[in-house]
């Protein structure tokens, strides 16, 4: 399992293969549609339907700091949360706090 986590972290770190951009007020986070949709019901819903996010390859997240978005992405890819990250905010974001 640790090898899979390492591989997924490596994929996350390789921006050349990303195909989705999470846009926050403080910056952007590059991710992969298939991983985000496969691991998050919120992103699955956004990316399955014929919505702007699917067409543009971008998702705007206005309500959370970029650190929280990065922590959520890390959790989606690796199922790990750093102790210093806000677990509550991550849960809210994954449960539907994505601005449409």
């Amino acid at each position: 399992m640790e090898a899979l986590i390492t591989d997924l972290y490596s994929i996350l770190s390789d921006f050349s293969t990303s195909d989705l951009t999470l846009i926050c007020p403080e910056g952007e986070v590059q991710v992969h549609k298939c991983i985000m949709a496969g691991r998050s019901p919120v992103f699955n819903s956004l990316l399955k339907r014929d919505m702007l996010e699917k067409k543009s390859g971008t998702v705007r997240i206005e309500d959370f700091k970029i650190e929280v978005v990065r922590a959520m992405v890390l959790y989606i890819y690796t199922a790990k949360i750093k102790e210093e990250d806000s677990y509550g905010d991550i849960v809210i974001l994954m449960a539907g706090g994505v601005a449409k």
Side-chain angles (χ1 to χ4, degrees):
M1 186 61 130
E2 202 58 40
L4 177 61
I5 291 170
T6 300
D7 291 344
L8 287 171
Y9 185 78
S10 177
I11 291 168
L12 174 61
S13 302
D14 182 2
F15 302 126
S16 70
T17 61
S18 67
D19 57 359
L20 181 65
T21 303
L22 307 181
I23 301 173
C24 307
E26 301 159 327
E28 299 179 350
V29 180
Q30 300 294 321
V31 295
H32 304 83
K33 289 179 185 176
C34 64
I35 293 173
M36 297 300 288
R39 299 261 304 139
S40 167
V42 173
F43 283 95
N44 187 29
S45 179
L46 283 173
L47 298 171
K48 257 188 173 174
R49 298 185 183 139
D50 200 23
M51 298 179 72
L52 177 62
E53 291 85 1
K54 180 179 178 181
K55 292 177 184 176
S56 69
T58 61
V59 175
R60 293 197 161 278
I61 302 175
E62 301 291 338
D63 299 332
F64 295 91
K65 293 186 177 199
I66 196 164
E67 293 85 17
V68 175
V69 174
R70 285 185 181 131
M72 183 247 344
V73 168
L74 183 64
Y75 177 75
I76 288 174
Y77 275 74
T78 67
K80 293 188 177 199
I81 298 173
K82 295 180 182 177
E83 283 185 34
E84 65 271 14
D85 291 335
S86 172
Y87 184 78
D89 285 348
I90 294 169
V91 171
I92 291 168
L93 185 61
M94 291 179 69
V98 177
K100 295 179 183 169

